[in-house]
């Protein structure tokens, strides 16, 4: 009898061990999204290697960046004197630190830089795929859309335009695996976004959405602390320039009124140049941007809280009569990603000028934006392909820029009329 019980117990232990060892692989591989994501990472890594090896590099801003970095490393702290062959430096201090590190790693040479940027591309793609795997929006087969952009591949490894800004953002947006950890990670996300702003200011397009999400997920005191921490990040990173030439640094690194060259505009090439460079046109776009943000915040993002203004009043009154630390609320992954992506996209369509490198600011959000609309799948794919084609017309013209604007507006209309709300 004892032998029988011993044998039975041993058999149970063996079955448990076998189940434990085998449960990981099926759980991992049964999700078609995970399998697809891994396959895409491998295939795209090979594609990037092929592009670097056989497609000629296009010289645009790399030499200018290296000249600006060399001036900084040489001791120059006056922003008006940090220049390259394409013009003066217009990015905050974080840009100089990042590209100083890139120059150190690559020696300022193009080929090593292409390898580094190829690695950044794959890292960024991996994090984006992780976001899509964790959010239940995109079907598994549609993940391939994230790897089909000729322009995005070119931006990263042929023109060396992009840097770790979008990588930092992707990490900041990646949904936390455990709900209980998400509230605490809001601080880290805010600091990472601030660090990304210190590299390139396009990250500010995410700020309104992020602010609303933090009001939902954190206490008022927590939001204030996060804002103070984000400001501190900017001060610390810009300290060498703020202590020496503060006016020059602030006016050049954070110039929100900069006028872009009409020739390079991808989105508003159909607008006559005198109107394109006018203050009235810039003001109109700013008003449109603010109106769209308020409308989406009121009717979509804060719908379950009774609208934007009721939500803000309730947060202020709640904080005034109770402990400010008693509010934290858990938000769904889909709601976080959707709010951030939509807020950024609104900024994109209202931007006075989109240059070719700016496509990377929102390309990876397009599949998510299209699949939260009620558009039929064929129309979603056609819109995606249409946007990609517009970005591959060089130089842009009246027809390509007008089509791009129409496709952007179509996406916004689809989001407005059919976007599911996930509080």
């Amino acid at each position: 009898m004892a032998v029988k019980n011993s044998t039975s117990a041993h058999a149970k232990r063996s079955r448990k061990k076998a189940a434990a060892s085998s449960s990981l692989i099926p759980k991992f591989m049964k999700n078609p999204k995970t399998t697809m994501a891994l396959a895409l990472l491998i295939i795209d890594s090979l594609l990037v290697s092929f592009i670097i090896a056989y497609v000629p590099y296009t010289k645009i801003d790399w030499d200018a960046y290296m000249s600006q970095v060399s001036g900084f490393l040489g001791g120059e702290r006056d922003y008006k004197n940090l220049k390259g062959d394409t013009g003066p430096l217009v990015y905050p201090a974080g840009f100089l630190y990042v590209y100083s590190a890139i120059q150190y790693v690559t020696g300022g040479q193009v080929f090593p830089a292409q390898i580094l940027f190829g690695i950044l591309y794959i890292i960024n793609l991996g994090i984006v795929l992780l976001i899509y795997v964790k959010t239940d929006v995109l079907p598994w087969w549609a993940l391939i859309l994230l790897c089909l952009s000729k322009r995005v591949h070119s931006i990263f490894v042929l023109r060396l335009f992009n840097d770790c800004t979008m990588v930092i953002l992707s990490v900041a947006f990646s949904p936390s695996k455990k709900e209980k950890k998400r509230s605490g990670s809001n601080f880290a996300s805010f600091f990472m976004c601030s660090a990304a702003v210190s590299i390139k200011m396009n990250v500010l397009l995410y700020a309104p959405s992020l602010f609303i999400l933090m009001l939902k997920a954190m206490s008022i005191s927590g939001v204030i602390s996060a804002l103070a921490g984000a400001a501190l990040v900017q001060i610390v990173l810009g300290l060498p320039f703020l202590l020496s030439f503060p006016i020059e640094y602030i006016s050049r690194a954070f110039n929100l009124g900069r006028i872009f060259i009409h020739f390079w505009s991808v989105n508003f090439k159909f607008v006559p140049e005198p109107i394109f460079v006018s203050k009235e046109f810039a003001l109109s776009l700013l008003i449109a941007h603010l109106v769209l943000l308020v409308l989406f915040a009121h009717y979509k993002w804060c719908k379950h809280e009774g609208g934007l203004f009721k939500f803000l009043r309730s947060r202020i009154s709640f904080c005034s009569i109770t402990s400010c630390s008693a509010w934290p609320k858990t938000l769904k992954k889909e709601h976080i990603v959707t709010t951030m992506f939509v807020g950024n996209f609104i900024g994109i369509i209202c931007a006075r000028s989109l240059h070719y490198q700016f496509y990377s600011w929102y390309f990876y959000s397009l599949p998510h934006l299209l699949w939260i609309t009620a558009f039929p799948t064929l129309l979603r794919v056609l819109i995606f392909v249409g946007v990609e084609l517009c970005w591959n017309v060089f130089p842009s013209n009246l027809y390509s820029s007008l089509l791009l604007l129409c496709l952007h507006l179509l996406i916004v209309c689809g989001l407005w009329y059919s976007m599911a709300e996930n509080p």
Side-chain angles (χ1 to χ4, degrees), residues 268-309:
F268 284 120
K269 196 64 172 288
F270 63 90
V271 177
E273 187 170 2
I275 297 176
F276 177 84
V277 300
S278 67
K279 292 183 179 179
E280 292 78 11
F281 184 59
L283 181 60
S284 300
L285 290 173
L286 177 60
I287 293 173
H289 187 187
L290 295 175
V291 168
L292 283 173
L293 283 175
V294 170
L295 288 175
F296 269 87
H298 184 71
Y299 292 103
K300 300 296 180 180
W301 304 336
C302 299
K303 178 180 179 181
H304 287 256
E305 289 82 10
L308 174 64
F309 306 107

Side-chain angles (χ1 to χ4, degrees), residues 179-221:
E179 301 284 345
K180 64 182 180 180
K181 290 184 178 180
R182 192 172 299 148
S183 177
S185 67
N186 287 326
F187 286 98
S189 297
F190 214 86
F191 294 152
M192 293 179 74
C193 287
S194 181
V197 168
S198 76
I199 301 173
K200 288 184 178 175
M201 287 217 308
N202 65 287
V203 181
L204 286 176
L205 296 179
Y206 291 96
S209 304
L210 180 59
F211 182 67
I212 289 176
L213 290 173
M214 295 192 74
L215 282 176
K216 286 186 176 187
M218 300 172 62
S219 65
I220 293 293
S221 59

Side-chain angles (χ1 to χ4, degrees), residues 339-385:
T339 303
M340 296 295 285
F341 281 172
V342 173
N344 177 66
F345 185 69
I346 289 172
I348 289 293
I349 65 173
C350 296
R352 176 157 55 167
S353 184
L354 295 177
H355 291 184
Y356 286 97
Q357 64 267 37
F358 300 170
Y359 189 30
S360 63
W361 292 359
Y362 77 107
F363 165 75
Y364 289 111
S365 68
L366 279 176
H368 183 96
L369 295 174
L370 288 168
W371 258 263
I372 59 177
T373 69
F375 293 152
T377 299
L378 179 59
L379 180 58
R380 292 166 176 162
V381 174
L382 289 175
I383 292 173
F384 181 89
V385 172

Side-chain angles (χ1 to χ4, degrees), residues 160-270:
L160 305 179
F161 266 133
N162 215 334
D163 42 60
C164 61
T165 306
M166 302 314 295
V167 178
I168 293 173
L169 274 178
S170 298
V171 173
F173 298 164
S174 183
S176 175
K177 186 175 181 180
K178 295 184 179 180
E179 301 284 345
K180 64 182 180 180
K181 290 184 178 180
R182 192 172 299 148
S183 177
S185 67
N186 287 326
F187 286 98
S189 297
F190 214 86
F191 294 152
M192 293 179 74
C193 287
S194 181
V197 168
S198 76
I199 301 173
K200 288 184 178 175
M201 287 217 308
N202 65 287
V203 181
L204 286 176
L205 296 179
Y206 291 96
S209 304
L210 180 59
F211 182 67
I212 289 176
L213 290 173
M214 295 192 74
L215 282 176
K216 286 186 176 187
M218 300 172 62
S219 65
I220 293 293
S221 59
V223 173
I224 294 173
S225 298
L227 289 172
L232 183 62
V233 169
Q234 297 301 319
I235 293 172
V236 170
L237 292 176
L239 202 58
F241 309 96
L242 292 172
L243 292 176
S244 49
F245 298 93
I247 303 300
E248 289 80 1
Y249 174 66
I250 294 173
S251 63
R252 291 175 181 269
F254 299 96
N255 182 8
L256 296 176
R258 186 157 55 103
I259 299 176
F260 292 95
I261 299 173
H262 181 254
F263 175 80
W264 293 109
S265 177
V266 178
N267 57 332
F268 284 120
K269 196 64 172 288
F270 63 90

